[in-house]
Amino acid sequence: MRLFHNLTFLGYLCWSKRPVMKKIFTSTALLAFCANAFPQMSFNGNALPVITEQAPAATGLDAIYVVNDVAGVSASYHSMTGNRVKWYRFSNLGGGYAEELTNVSQSGDISTLQSVQGDMGYIIEDGNDRHFYWVVNYSAHRINLGSLSISPESDCSTAVLAFDGNADAIRYYTINGQMQELSRGLKLNYSTLKYDEGSDIYTFEDLSDELAHVSEMIRVNAPLCNTDFTLSGDKFLEAWEEAQSVTSSYYEAKAVEAHTTAQQVERDNDNEQKGEVNGLGGSAPAEIEFHAVTTDAAIFKEWQIATDAEFDFIDYRSNEADMTYVFNREGVFYVRFMASNAAGDCEYFSSSYEVSIGDSDLICPNAFSPGSSEGINDIWKVSYKSITQFECHIFNRWGVQVAHFTDPSQGWDGKYRGKLVPAGVYYYVIKAYGADGKEYNLRGDINIINYRQNPTGTGNMTE
């Protein structure tokens, strides 16, 4: 028959001695408050220890008991009130449909249920207090870890294992009749690779995934190295020292992964216009070192450079893990690394690096004062940006070349054959090309301002 048709058993506070309340309470807050605050059941006649699992507060259960085999097992309860204890049993319908049990004996404060039925819920009424439990008959859910093999369904992102055996889900029900799963705590152990930033290599990492149960197929993220898989457990058999394990056939890694970096070679040229550079690039020529570390399955490796972010047209390829590239053209460039396995059916693409090269500029000063104040305006240098080719000739007024250099970061110190030239007007001729394709043909004057002759040097005295 149906008992507690008004669900009055949910209306009691923990250890309450108050009269029975007729109002229905289903508040999860009340259940959370009361969970695990009650006396526990004990079992007799079981060959192996009973395992007690903590029930989530929202279930309304005080505890979940896992009995290896309920055959011939009885359950007892020690009354905290001295009152005669009543026992009720409920199924997946919940506590609202609990039925009172009659095969119960009481001796003093000890009440005993003579025969326990597994995969059922139990309510113990001790005066005004009621306690709720679920009993799992493990013998009805005993695992059999038959075999484990690599499924052909495995792909670049997922390793699929075919399981032949039994490790089905263990279900239980809350006092409101809601189905829940009791995790078996099965362990799936295997290896993969993990990037180690300190050593800049991929190192082995052992993983252990916990599985609540196992169906015909087990899916995990594809390992990055060759490995095998070992399924073991479950946690109940481990507690009873009867754990099983099964190991798969050898898994050959297909998945590809890489870790990449990009580092620009810095130039410390005081006459180069830096501007505001966010990220890679700036003034050409910009030399950038690209570096990649790959996992075991990566056989084909390639750096790619394109002028479109989608890489529809690739301008440059380098089939190495490391690439040094000098960007000599103005514009925005995109660089990425790709790798694939031997079969070419698994690929990896890194995030794109954006390299922005600015347009060119070249400005020539018209005066300097070598020998006047050391370190102050004593070298004639152009101010430049993104100049990729450069040649400068400097002449005196008689057409004698007194200086020549091909690097825009260099300059003229006002000397000819090791000695300072006289103050006066000199002439420069510059031919240069910019990263933006601009051609420079510059001519102009250089005025050397009079300077004092120091006691050990040569030069004109300032009047």
Side-chain angles (χ1 to χ4, degrees), residues 11 21 25 33 40 67 79 93 96 117-118 129 135 166 226 235 244 301 306 331 346 352 365 391 400 410 425 446:
M21 300 173 65
F25 286 89
F33 179 79
Q40 303 295 305
V67 182
S79 172
L93 298 178
Q117 184 176 346
D129 298 327
V135 176
N166 177 51
N226 297 342
K235 65 181 178 181
Q244 301 179 24
K301 307 168 187 178
C346 293
S352 297
E391 187 168 8
V400 177
Q410 296 176 350
V425 179
I446 303 174

Side-chain angles (χ1 to χ4, degrees), residues 41-352:
M41 293 171 62
S42 60
F43 296 84
N44 308 293
N46 44 293
L48 295 172
V50 174
I51 299 171
T52 303
E53 288 280 306
Q54 182 176 356
T59 65
L61 300 172
D62 293 32
I64 301 169
Y65 297 109
V66 182
V67 182
N68 183 270
D69 192 339
V70 298
V73 173
S74 62
S76 298
Y77 171 82
H78 185 187
S79 172
M80 304 298 293
T81 65
N83 296 322
R84 184 168 185 82
V85 172
K86 293 183 179 180
W87 291 68
Y88 305 90
R89 185 174 63 211
F90 65 92
S91 64
N92 61 327
L93 298 178
Y97 293 87
E99 295 180 343
E100 184 173 359
L101 301 175
T102 58
N103 58 337
V104 177
S105 63
Q106 185 152 346
S107 176
D109 294 338
I110 305 298
S111 175
T112 301
L113 176 66
Q114 300 301 326
S115 177
V116 175
Q117 184 176 346
D119 297 327
M120 298 292 285
Y122 290 88
I123 303 170
I124 296 178
E125 185 179 58
D126 185 4
N128 290 335
D129 298 327
R130 290 182 176 84
H131 314 300
F132 311 97
Y133 310 100
W134 187 270
V135 176
V136 173
N137 180 20
Y138 184 82
S139 64
H141 309 281
R142 188 171 297 275
I143 65 171
N144 174 27
L145 302 184
S147 65
L148 197 63
S149 59
I150 309 301
S151 169
E153 294 184 21
S154 299
D155 56 27
C156 301
S157 60
T158 307
V160 181
L161 309 175
F163 173 65
D164 182 14
N166 177 51
D168 62 341
I170 300 177
R171 310 293 187 185
Y172 69 95
Y173 292 85
T174 72
I175 60 174
N176 291 326
Q178 295 179 339
M179 184 175 67
Q180 304 288 321
E181 180 176 0
L182 180 64
S183 175
R184 288 182 176 274
L186 290 155
K187 295 294 193 311
L188 182 67
N189 297 310
Y190 57 100
S191 297
T192 188
L193 296 177
K194 180 180 180 180
Y195 177 73
D196 186 314
E197 187 172 357
S199 58
D200 190 34
I201 59 174
Y202 277 90
T203 58
F204 285 100
E205 179 183 31
D206 293 328
L207 297 181
S208 182
D209 295 346
E210 182 171 318
L211 306 177
H213 69 278
V214 177
S215 56
E216 293 181 354
M217 295 293 180
I218 304 174
R219 288 175 167 82
V220 299
N221 291 335
L224 297 173
C225 64
N226 297 342
T227 185
D228 51 28
F229 295 86
T230 298
L231 180 66
S232 62
D234 55 19
K235 65 181 178 181
F236 307 114
L237 290 182
E238 287 181 355
W240 296 321
E241 298 183 350
E242 296 179 358
Q244 301 179 24
S245 68
V246 60
T247 300
S248 73
S249 53
Y250 201 56
Y251 172 85
E252 293 188 6
K254 297 180 61 177
V256 176
E257 187 179 286
H259 182 273
T260 64
T261 58
Q263 180 69 42
Q264 185 160 345
V265 178
E266 298 294 336
R267 293 192 300 269
D268 188 19
N269 300 331
D270 58 0
N271 61 326
E272 185 173 12
Q273 301 171 29
K274 303 297 184 181
E276 294 186 4
V277 179
N278 296 319
L280 300 172
S283 175
E287 182 179 354
I288 303 177
E289 297 172 344
F290 297 93
H291 171 66
V293 179
T294 61
T295 54
D296 295 352
I299 302 301
F300 178 77
K301 307 168 187 178
E302 181 178 87
W303 282 99
Q304 302 172 346
I305 303 177
T307 53
D308 65 289
E310 301 302 321
F311 290 83
D312 291 330
F313 300 97
I314 298 175
D315 301 317
Y316 182 83
R317 302 173 188 266
S318 176
N319 300 123
E320 301 289 342
D322 295 328
M323 174 185 74
T324 299
Y325 191 85
V326 179
F327 292 85
N328 279 319
R329 289 188 294 132
E330 183 254 351
V332 178
F333 302 87
Y334 301 92
V335 185
R336 71 180 180 184
F337 179 77
M338 73 83 60
S340 67
N341 62 352
D345 56 353
C346 293
E347 294 180 324
Y348 169 87
F349 291 91
S350 73
S351 299
S352 297

Side-chain angles (χ1 to χ4, degrees), residues 364-367 380 395 424-429 443-448:
C364 301
N366 60 7
W380 183 87
F395 305 92
V425 179
Y426 294 80
Y427 307 94
Y428 64 83
V429 176
R443 298 171 183 269
D445 300 336
I446 303 174
N447 293 289
I448 294 182

